[in-house]
Amino acid sequence: MMSYGFPDWMFAAIAIAAYEVAAWLKHRFHLDWAMWAAYGVIAICAIVLIIRYIVRRLRRHNDNDADDPEDWRNY
């Protein structure tokens, strides 16, 4: 199954970038609200990753096509 969405590492990169940009904005322009915005982005990325992990585990559990002798031909 081909997935055309963002890979998991992209959400981690977005969360790290949000934190770094917010820390820079807070330090450079004394914008305290920037860190709260970054924490919101980090929380959203974490929720998306958790949902993707749960969905992946459920699909893997439900699609248990065990030991098909002709499975090697699908590669």
Side-chain angles (χ1 to χ4, degrees), residues 23 26 68:
K26 182 180 178 186
D68 185 11

Side-chain angles (χ1 to χ4, degrees), residues 68 70-75:
D68 185 11
E70 300 298 320
D71 194 30
W72 65 272
R73 294 181 188 212
N74 294 331
Y75 289 108

Side-chain angles (χ1 to χ4, degrees), residues 31-55:
L31 299 174
D32 293 331
W33 58 265
M35 290 306 291
W36 287 105
Y39 295 146
V41 171
I42 292 167
I44 290 169
C45 288
I47 290 169
V48 167
L49 286 173
I50 290 169
I51 290 171
R52 288 171 64 131
Y53 176 76
I54 291 170
V55 168

Side-chain angles (χ1 to χ4, degrees), residues 15-39 42:
I16 292 169
Y19 182 82
E20 291 295 328
V21 168
W24 180 79
L25 287 173
K26 182 180 178 186
H27 175 71
R28 177 84 170 131
F29 299 110
H30 305 290
L31 299 174
D32 293 331
W33 58 265
M35 290 306 291
W36 287 105
Y39 295 146
I42 292 167

